[in-house]
Amino acid sequence: MTSVLLLAGMFALPALANGTKPGVPSRLDPELMLIDVYKSLAANRLREAQAKADALVAAYPNFRLGQLVRGDLLLLHTQPIKTFGAAKDAPADNLAALRAEAMVRLKSLRERPDPNLVPQPLLQLRPDQKNVLLMDARRSRLYVYERGSDNHFKLVRDYYVSQGKLGVDKFKEGDQKTPLGIYYITSRVPGPRLPEFYGPGALPINYPNEWDRVNDRGGSGIWFHGTPPDSYSRPPLSSDGCIVLPNPDMIELSERVQVGMTPVIIAETLKFVTPVRAEADRIHANRMLEAWRVDLESTDPQKLRRHYSQHFKAMRGQNLNSWLERIQQTNLGARQIKVDLKDVSLFRYPDQKGQREMIVAAFTQEAVIGKGRHVTRKRQYWAKEGAQWRIVSEANIQ
């Protein structure tokens, strides 16, 4: 059996209704076309597979993986082949990268998220956040989940993506890694303002975030962006840290996101839980935040202190004592204040090496102090210390 056939057998996929996957637009999808090629091969229908491969490269002539598979099929008409990319005109400079792309594309489609489960990081979106982007680095996959009624999340689209040459867990400038964490789309950069290397445009994210800075993580310029005109896609590990999509996918993604609003969660491996577990985690996080609000309202510094870790550190280097002193100064010595929390979003932070369980809460704090009204957007990082959850970092944000 040829390696092409071995691939077809190894990544046998469950039947997809009408040959599509959830959320795929009306345009031809090269992944689905490639799957059809492998299905025909697995059924020993070589001519049918060839016709499908011809159609694939006709629709996407710059899809190098499709060209490679088509070349193997042409050669298979005349002789046995024992290796993926056996055709003489195959791009010999990057066969290993193309093999890796074939593997992650097909494997990620075989291991699709269970629609009955919820991504573990998703706890709660604020009312005006429509969707959230979640990247599974191990699968080189970006998932778009949309918030429905009753805090229900639904997978509406997913994309193959490339990441840093040296993987994930970025720490410093130039390490060629993609960061792990929770970020936001900060702007849109149109294609005409960029070299053609970036394709139709870019979506920068706010790396390093507050937690990155507290932990001395550096670097800059982490974007979602497209590919040059001569390449439909790039190998899984091929960027300097950015997240790279095929140009048609990049255009579609850009239309889905809300600048300044859309969360981006980058995990090494995306974990899933039952809706019951997700709802229990959401309720617990809200109760934790509410207990903090009540003690902030009490103006009792000792009650407030119990919510903070002794290892607390703010983005500008303040320790716990200086941070709490700042809060007391803001309260102007009032004996009583009224505090409301609005537009709350809650996420579990993706796992990082050596890091405790963490929850990130972002909210608008409206405080009435005397005759004054103070409105602040905050982000808190809560970590589990033994059986207790405590704030390890906090920042006022835009």
Side-chain angles (χ1 to χ4, degrees):
M1 182 182 288
T2 71
S3 65
V4 178
L5 288 173
L6 281 171
L7 273 174
M10 187 182 303
F11 297 111
L13 297 167
L16 298 171
N18 301 319
T20 64
K21 49 184 177 173
V24 172
S26 58
R27 67 177 173 84
L28 294 174
D29 187 294
E31 279 188 329
L32 293 177
M33 298 175 78
L34 187 61
I35 291 169
D36 281 343
V37 173
Y38 288 137
K39 285 181 177 179
S40 296
L41 278 171
N44 291 318
R45 296 193 293 265
L46 182 57
R47 292 188 182 278
E48 180 180 287
Q50 182 69 64
K52 291 178 177 180
D54 291 345
L56 171 59
V57 299
Y60 296 93
N62 59 351
F63 187 21
R64 294 173 182 171
L65 178 58
Q67 293 281 6
L68 189 66
V69 171
R70 179 175 180 270
D72 278 349
L73 286 170
L74 288 170
L75 190 61
L76 193 58
H77 285 286
T78 61
Q79 65 184 70
I81 60 175
K82 297 181 180 180
T83 181
F84 183 63
K88 292 181 180 179
D89 59 350
D93 60 330
N94 214 4
L95 281 177
L98 288 171
R99 291 189 188 106
E101 181 177 343
M103 296 280 279
V104 297
R105 280 183 178 274
L106 294 172
K107 189 175 183 181
S108 67
L109 291 173
R110 183 189 181 198
E111 299 176 355
R112 293 191 59 75
D114 186 332
N116 297 313
L117 298 180
V118 180
Q120 188 183 39
L122 287 186
L123 297 180
Q124 179 174 305
L125 293 183
R126 55 188 283 184
D128 51 357
Q129 287 174 320
K130 297 178 181 179
N131 49 43
V132 56
L133 311 182
L134 297 105
M135 178 176 161
D136 187 318
R138 186 175 68 85
R139 292 182 172 86
S140 293
R141 208 75 188 175
L142 181 71
Y143 301 101
V144 181
Y145 276 80
E146 188 176 83
R147 179 177 54 81
S149 59
D150 300 325
N151 209 50
H152 173 74
F153 295 100
K154 178 183 177 182
L155 176 64
V156 294
R157 191 70 169 96
D158 62 292
Y159 307 99
Y160 165 78
V161 294
S162 304
Q163 58 191 281
K165 293 183 180 74
L166 297 181
V168 291
D169 205 9
K170 186 173 185 63
F171 189 79
K172 62 182 179 180
E173 185 79 40
D175 62 9
Q176 296 185 317
K177 292 184 177 182
T178 298
L180 295 174
I182 298 174
Y183 304 97
Y184 290 84
I185 303 292
T186 59
S187 62
R188 284 188 178 89
V189 185
R193 288 175 49 190
L194 297 168
E196 66 177 15
F197 175 81
Y198 295 96
L203 298 169
I205 64 173
N206 65 321
Y207 175 85
N209 64 20
E210 304 86 9
W211 184 242
D212 293 320
R213 295 179 189 180
V214 164
N215 288 280
D216 299 320
R217 292 180 180 269
S220 60
I222 301 299
W223 296 357
F224 288 91
H225 65 77
T227 62
D230 64 344
S231 300
Y232 176 78
S233 59
R234 289 169 59 175
L237 303 177
S238 62
S239 81
D240 287 331
C242 289
I243 301 166
V244 184
L245 292 83
N247 289 342
D249 294 344
M250 183 62 206
I251 293 170
E252 184 181 292
L253 180 68
S254 185
E255 294 172 349
R256 288 181 179 273
V257 303
Q258 301 166 276
V259 171
M261 295 286 293
T262 299
V264 177
I265 300 174
I266 306 174
E268 188 165 11
T269 302
L270 195 57
K271 298 178 181 178
F272 293 83
V273 296
T274 65
V276 172
R277 169 64 187 276
E279 178 63 9
D281 287 348
R282 187 188 72 82
I283 291 172
H284 171 76
N286 274 290
R287 286 175 176 168
M288 183 173 69
L289 190 60
E290 172 63 9
W292 172 87
R293 185 199 67 79
V294 169
D295 286 341
L296 176 63
E297 226 177 30
S298 75
T299 70
D300 184 331
Q302 294 308 312
K303 286 184 177 180
L304 188 61
R305 179 180 287 269
R306 66 186 182 184
H307 296 283
Y308 289 82
S309 169
Q310 291 301 315
H311 305 292
F312 176 91
K313 187 177 179 181
M315 190 170 61
R316 296 183 180 178
Q318 301 104 312
N319 61 21
L320 178 57
N321 289 333
S322 59
W323 185 260
L324 292 178
E325 286 174 6
R326 179 183 176 183
I327 292 176
Q328 292 303 311
Q329 291 171 1
T330 302
N331 293 345
L332 304 175
R335 294 183 178 180
Q336 185 175 7
I337 63 175
K338 174 65 177 174
V339 178
D340 288 321
L341 305 184
K342 298 182 178 180
D343 296 331
V344 178
S345 63
L346 297 163
F347 305 100
R348 273 189 175 271
Y349 211 79
D351 292 341
Q352 289 180 330
K353 293 178 181 177
Q355 179 178 284
R356 295 161 291 180
E357 286 186 74
M358 281 191 15
I359 290 174
V360 182
F363 52 88
T364 298
Q365 175 184 305
E366 295 185 0
V368 177
I369 305 172
K371 295 182 179 180
R373 180 173 175 269
H374 303 262
V375 180
T376 309
R377 187 73 186 165
K378 284 183 175 288
R379 190 170 290 132
Q380 293 178 336
Y381 294 81
W382 294 71
K384 195 171 186 180
E385 297 183 344
Q388 301 298 317
W389 287 85
R390 292 189 171 90
I391 302 167
V392 291
S393 191
E394 184 173 308
N396 296 331
I397 57 178
Q398 297 296 325

